[in-house]
Amino acid sequence: MSEFLTIGEPIGLFASQDADQSLVDATHFEKFLAGAEVNVSVGVSRLGHSAEYVTRLGSDPLGGFISKQLEMNHIGTHYIDTTDEYWTAFQMKQRVTKGDPGIFYYRRNSAAAHFQKSILDNIDFDGIKLVHLSGIFPAISDTALDAFKYLIGLIQSHPTVRTTFDPNLRPQLWASKEKMVTTINALAAEANIILPGVNEGEILMGSRDPEKIADFYLNNGDRTDTVIVKVGSKGAFIKTKDGKSSMVTGYHVNKVVDTVGAGDGFAVGVITGLLEGLSIEDAAKRGNAIGSLAVQAPGDNDGYPTREELDAYQNEQD
């Protein structure tokens, strides 16, 4: 039995190796396992927690690569379907040291975009403590969005299971900004803990102020009891339904290698902290630590630590 579960679209990532060079000019690439939700699964597993991943892959070399990578990272594959009809998604990503990278997706009409929600009926929720949800999977197709909503209904029929939700905005996957904002905010209202960033707050509710973002989501739905707003290098702002708030400072980084994966690393810290019974402040502090480690390594999840590495890093930094 796994204590953690998520659903998403894992991707074969071809990342350029020369920093701050456009994808047009880049000629050297390395292949990685990627995808926001799979990043979180890798991080959760690396810290010693059992994880299960739900998706659909194509019967192609990239699907085989992803399956092997999941097994190598000790991530459960009981709820992964494989099809000959559609292909496994992949992407090309620019390596950047500041800001957001250039990303080119090849995921339209992919296997995950044709995910069959009947697979979700096979999920055994016994032992599952937390499900992580992201705004990316429902963006890839109407079929995926329908399955995502169906999964939310299944989760809510098991009241002991907690949910985290990361907006993870990908405007290029949505038909319009209006549809993205409306859909993401409606899905967020179904989660217990929401993990937006200040940039996402500005897009989704019109403010970069962490407390205003937190208030918006705390009042957006009855199920939400905690909002943790990511404030970049400054750390994270926490506010709960009872009105309590706090700021957890971030970790200093001397050299940024790749900014992608920091937000997912933050989610790893929060999720594993909660699974271990840490306070929400200590869980967010762990999230800050893993996020800072993520930006110091290439690939989306290469910088996520083992238990020993995390303890050593936090002890050194603190």
Side-chain angles (χ1 to χ4, degrees):
M1 300 292 179
S2 293
E3 55 187 331
F4 170 81
L5 180 137
T6 189
I7 185 172
E9 179 173 43
I11 310 173
L13 165 64
F14 295 90
S16 63
Q17 296 303 290
D18 298 314
D20 300 316
Q21 188 177 55
S22 73
L23 288 175
V24 173
D25 297 323
T27 56
H28 298 91
F29 294 83
E30 187 173 356
K31 184 171 67 173
F32 295 95
L33 171 67
E37 305 88 356
V38 80
N39 290 340
V40 176
S41 297
V42 168
V44 169
S45 175
R46 203 165 286 170
L47 288 177
H49 295 276
S50 54
E52 196 74 40
Y53 191 76
V54 184
T55 194
R56 197 179 199 201
L57 297 172
S59 302
D60 49 43
L62 276 181
F65 167 75
I66 288 169
S67 293
K68 282 190 174 183
Q69 289 293 308
L70 292 172
E71 291 171 3
M72 286 172 58
N73 283 281
H74 309 291
I75 297 168
T77 58
H78 295 91
Y79 309 123
I80 294 182
D81 183 42
T82 304
T83 175
D84 294 323
E85 295 183 67
Y86 306 102
W87 52 288
T88 305
F90 66 97
Q91 71 181 90
M92 299 174 67
K93 186 189 74 174
Q94 178 191 20
R95 180 179 167 190
V96 296
T97 56
K98 293 182 180 179
D100 296 324
I103 297 177
F104 198 90
Y105 289 108
Y106 296 83
R107 64 198 308 175
R108 186 181 298 276
N109 208 37
S110 67
H114 292 272
F115 184 88
Q116 296 179 331
K117 67 181 182 181
S118 59
I119 297 169
L120 301 174
D121 291 323
N122 298 322
I123 295 176
D124 181 359
F125 281 91
D126 288 344
I128 294 177
K129 298 176 182 177
L130 194 146
V131 177
H132 180 64
L133 303 171
S134 158
I136 298 178
F137 187 73
I140 64 175
S141 69
D142 288 340
T143 302
L145 174 59
D146 184 50
F148 195 83
K149 291 178 178 178
Y150 185 69
L151 176 59
I152 288 174
L154 292 176
I155 296 167
Q156 291 176 353
S157 68
H158 297 81
T160 61
V161 179
R162 298 273 286 166
T163 53
T164 50
F165 181 81
D166 187 336
N168 259 327
L169 300 185
R170 298 293 188 273
Q172 60 269 56
L173 298 179
W174 293 94
S176 67
K177 178 182 176 181
E178 180 181 8
K179 182 176 181 180
M180 177 180 73
V181 170
T182 301
T183 306
I184 290 293
N185 285 338
L187 295 174
E190 303 299 327
N192 303 123
I193 302 168
I194 305 177
L195 309 171
V198 289
N199 293 337
E200 292 169 327
E202 184 173 22
I203 295 169
L204 292 170
M205 49 71 66
S207 177
R208 294 180 61 84
D209 182 284
E211 186 154 21
K212 289 181 179 178
I213 295 170
D215 287 340
F216 174 85
Y217 285 108
L218 287 170
N219 294 317
N220 188 43
D222 293 336
R223 295 184 182 276
T224 303
D225 54 56
T226 305
V227 179
I228 310 176
V229 184
K230 293 166 282 188
V231 197
S233 60
K234 295 180 181 178
F237 175 81
I238 305 167
K239 192 165 186 179
T240 55
K241 199 77 167 180
D242 59 9
K244 295 180 181 178
S245 63
S246 58
M247 186 75 190
V248 180
T249 56
Y251 285 74
H252 176 72
V253 173
N254 289 321
K255 182 181 179 181
V256 174
V257 174
D258 189 339
T259 59
V260 175
D264 299 327
F266 181 82
V268 170
V270 171
I271 289 165
T272 57
L274 294 175
L275 288 175
E276 294 165 27
L278 298 186
S279 68
I280 195 65
E281 290 80 11
D282 285 342
K285 184 177 181 181
R286 179 184 287 186
N288 288 337
I290 298 176
S292 70
L293 283 166
V295 302
Q296 298 178 66
D300 286 14
N301 53 58
D302 285 35
Y304 296 169
T306 62
R307 175 72 56 182
E308 294 75 16
E309 291 168 342
L310 176 62
D311 290 344
Y313 181 73
Q314 287 198 275
N315 289 334
E316 178 187 358
Q317 293 293 319
D318 292 342

